[in-house]
């Protein structure tokens, strides 16, 4: 058992809302207590800028530290930003690809990630100024180093507005079959028709790379949430040259071109993946603080290990942080050493059951309400989950931008209430036939 080294032992503690699959956070940069909040046809005139050659030199590599953790009980579903729709994939991809916007860790407010932006007076046109100091990188299996990607002329290949345009259109392309294309299809002008296959001309989609540093996106109507959507990894910059050359294998170790704080060294399917610190990541844009250079040289995510085996590996010192099996929680709290290592953090996820509301009896709103009032969420927390989760009275978890809080609106939403469940059931048109 560990006594000389502090390691965070983590457990998810709050029901909240999930925006991406995922969207919950990335692989930890340091073993520490984690607080995580996730939030779930105009004419454009732009003055083109001159192309600037930026020299990017490697920052010092972090001292040789390795973080080992269990990524999941199965293989990572995907390392492709366009295809990610789950938290396990998001955790890895988010370390390697930074979207245009970033949800600030402290309060989930959208701030610059790979770009700053301005919005037209009518709220329909977003002009993103993409930073020009971030190179594409990859792990060179021959040299064993993280190196910059070169173009056909031998120059450093920098992340550009065109790379973001390609990433957005690839995610929307029906041929890609991205589960999350629906997020942007109704929002970006022309995206719905393109995503449905009604049109194939990408010029009809309101995404324009004016020059290497300027991306203009036109949306269908003013939307305060749009910059938050642009913080999802599905619309990150994507390497067109590598995807077109390698096809589905572009996400394998040695093939993958990335640009974030980490890059992929290896992905041994069903066993592990390894991320290496990217020495060429320059850090956050001025005025922001979250996207700092990596502090740990190597992150190893073990695959195909269930929670019970994961905790056993933690106790033997083979991994550096672990989730907690429910059956071990009381022992951990009673153990002097383990209880000192036990920490909780807020997770941006709402856990829920979804039903087909087009078929009886759940096509009747009173039947649905009766079911919801009949669920004792606090009892599930107390007797099954046995943690400090909160019963969800509505879908958007408190802490998300503009979401109500329990303190502000204690009577909002639906709580466990037998009397109201009976009242709603008596108004259900299926009450005489519903078992």
């Amino acid at each position: 058992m560990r006594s000389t080294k502090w390691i965070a032992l983590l457990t998810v503690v709050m029901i909240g809302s999930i925006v991406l699959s995922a969207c919950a956070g990335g692989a930890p940069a340091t073993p520490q207590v984690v607080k995580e909040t996730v939030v779930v046809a105009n004419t454009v005139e732009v003055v083109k800028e001159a192309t600037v050659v930026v020299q990017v030199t490697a920052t010092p590599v972090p001292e040789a530290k390795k973080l080992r953790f269990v990524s999941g009980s199965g293989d990572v579903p995907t390392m492709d930003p366009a295809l990610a729709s789950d938290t396990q994939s998001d955790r890895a991809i988010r370390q390697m690809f930074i979207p245009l916007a970033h949800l600030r860790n402290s309060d989930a407010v959208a701030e610059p990630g790979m770009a700053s932006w301005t919005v037209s007076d009518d709220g329909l046109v977003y002009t993103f100024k993409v930073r020009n100091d971030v190179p594409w990188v990859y792990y060179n299996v021959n040299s064993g180093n993280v190196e910059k990607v070169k173009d056909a002329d031998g120059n450093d290949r920098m992340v550009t507005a065109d790379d973001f345009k390609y990433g957005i259109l690839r995610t929307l392309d029906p041929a890609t079959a991205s589960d999350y294309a629906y997020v942007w299809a109704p929002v970006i002008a022309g995206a719905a028709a393109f995503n449905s296959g009604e049109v194939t001309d990408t010029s009809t989609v309101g995404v324009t790379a004016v020059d290497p540093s300027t991306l203009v996106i036109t949306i269908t109507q003013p939307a305060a949430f749009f910059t938050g959507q642009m913080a999802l990894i599905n619309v990150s910059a994507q390497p067109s040259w590598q995807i077109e050359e390698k096809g589905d294998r572009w996400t394998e170790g040695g093939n993958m071109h990335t640009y974030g704080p980490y890059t992929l060294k290896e992905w041994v399917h069903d066993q592990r993946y390894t991320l290496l610190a990217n020495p060429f990541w320059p850090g956050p844009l001025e005025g922001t603080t979250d996207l700092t250079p990596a502090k740990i040289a190597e992150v190893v995510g073990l695959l195909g290990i269930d929670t019970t085996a994961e905790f056993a590996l933690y106790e033997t010192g083979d991994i550096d942080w672990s989730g907690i099996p429910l059956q071990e929680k009381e022992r951990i709290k009673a153990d002097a050493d383990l209880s000192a290592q036990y920490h909780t953090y807020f997770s941006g996820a709402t856990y829920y059951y979804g039903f087909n509301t087009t078929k009886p009896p759940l096509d009747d709103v009173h039947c649905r309400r009766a079911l919801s009032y009949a669920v004792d969420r606090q009892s599930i927390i107390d007797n099954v989950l046995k943690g400090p989760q909160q019963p969800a009275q509505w879908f958007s978890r408190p802490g998300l931008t503009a979401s109500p809080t329990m303190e502000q609106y204690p009577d909002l939403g639906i709580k466990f209430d037998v009397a109201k469940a009976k009242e709603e059931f008596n108004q259900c048109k299926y009450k005489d036939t519903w078992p």
Side-chain angles (χ1 to χ4, degrees), residues 83-297:
L83 299 179
S85 60
D86 65 281
T87 53
Q88 187 182 5
S89 299
D90 182 85
R91 180 188 293 121
I93 296 169
R94 191 165 291 279
Q95 309 310 309
M96 301 183 284
F97 295 84
I98 305 301
L100 293 165
H102 167 72
L103 298 181
R104 191 163 54 204
N105 292 343
S106 60
D107 56 13
V109 170
E111 65 177 12
M114 279 290 291
S116 58
W117 59 84
T118 56
V119 187
S120 62
D121 292 341
D122 61 6
L124 297 179
V125 181
Y126 285 72
T127 302
F128 293 91
K129 301 303 295 183
V130 181
R131 59 191 304 180
N132 62 0
D133 60 344
V134 179
W136 286 94
V137 300
Y138 75 108
Y139 174 71
N140 188 324
V141 296
N142 295 316
S143 69
N145 297 318
V146 177
E147 300 179 4
K148 289 183 282 186
V149 175
K150 304 293 183 179
D151 63 20
D153 298 321
N155 300 316
D156 294 343
R157 194 183 281 275
M158 311 300 289
V159 179
T160 67
D162 274 304
D163 298 332
F164 277 99
K165 176 183 176 180
Y166 174 83
I168 295 169
L169 292 177
R170 180 169 176 263
T171 293
L172 288 170
D173 191 333
T176 304
S178 170
D179 287 339
Y180 265 72
Y182 79 91
V183 172
W184 298 274
V187 179
I188 297 177
F194 176 66
N195 179 243
S196 68
E198 181 182 341
V199 299
T200 58
D201 184 357
T202 58
S203 68
T204 63
V205 183
V207 181
T208 304
V210 178
D211 60 45
S213 296
T214 308
L215 184 74
V216 175
I217 301 179
T218 302
I219 60 177
T220 55
Q221 60 184 354
F225 54 79
F226 180 63
T227 50
Q229 288 183 325
M230 298 311 291
L232 299 182
I233 57 172
N234 309 81
V235 286
S236 300
Q238 296 171 33
S240 58
W241 59 93
Q242 195 71 349
I243 294 171
E244 290 164 6
E245 178 183 346
K246 301 294 184 180
D248 292 342
R249 292 192 58 78
W250 83 272
T251 57
E252 298 297 327
N255 287 347
M256 198 166 188
H257 292 183
T258 70
Y259 58 89
Y262 284 88
T263 196
L264 182 69
K265 176 183 179 181
E266 63 174 357
W267 181 10
V268 183
H269 291 271
D270 299 307
Q271 295 184 39
R272 68 182 180 276
Y273 67 80
T274 302
L275 305 180
L276 295 181
N278 172 15
F280 303 103
W281 170 250
L285 283 170
E286 184 177 357
T288 64
T289 58
D290 290 344
L291 302 173
T292 58
K295 296 181 175 67
I296 292 180

Side-chain angles (χ1 to χ4, degrees), residues 228-405:
Q229 288 183 325
M230 298 311 291
L232 299 182
I233 57 172
N234 309 81
V235 286
S236 300
Q238 296 171 33
S240 58
W241 59 93
Q242 195 71 349
I243 294 171
E244 290 164 6
E245 178 183 346
K246 301 294 184 180
D248 292 342
R249 292 192 58 78
W250 83 272
T251 57
E252 298 297 327
N255 287 347
M256 198 166 188
H257 292 183
T258 70
Y259 58 89
Y262 284 88
T263 196
L264 182 69
K265 176 183 179 181
E266 63 174 357
W267 181 10
V268 183
H269 291 271
D270 299 307
Q271 295 184 39
R272 68 182 180 276
Y273 67 80
T274 302
L275 305 180
L276 295 181
N278 172 15
F280 303 103
W281 170 250
L285 283 170
E286 184 177 357
T288 64
T289 58
D290 290 344
L291 302 173
T292 58
K295 296 181 175 67
I296 292 180
E298 185 172 322
V299 177
V300 179
L302 302 179
L303 305 169
I305 299 173
D306 64 26
T307 306
T308 300
E310 174 186 358
F311 188 64
L313 289 173
Y314 177 80
E315 290 200 276
T316 58
D318 292 306
I319 59 174
D320 300 306
W321 63 273
S322 172
I324 297 175
L326 289 176
Q327 67 270 21
E328 296 282 8
K329 187 168 291 188
E330 297 306 318
R331 178 173 74 86
I332 290 167
K333 290 181 177 180
D335 185 282
D337 288 334
L338 289 175
S339 62
Q341 298 165 36
Y342 171 76
H343 296 272
T344 61
Y345 71 98
F346 289 108
S347 174
T350 295
Y351 295 89
Y352 65 99
Y353 286 103
F355 298 94
N356 187 342
T357 60
T358 66
K359 294 184 177 182
L362 297 177
D363 60 341
D364 185 303
V365 65
H366 297 292
C367 292
R368 297 198 297 270
R369 286 177 182 160
L371 273 178
S372 192
Y373 277 122
V375 176
D376 189 344
R377 297 161 177 80
Q378 190 62 53
S379 179
I380 293 173
I381 292 170
D382 295 340
N383 300 302
V384 180
L385 300 174
K386 299 181 179 180
Q389 292 89 349
Q390 287 186 334
Q393 296 171 206
W394 53 83
F395 192 81
S396 300
R397 103 185 229 341
L400 288 177
T401 302
S403 177
T405 66

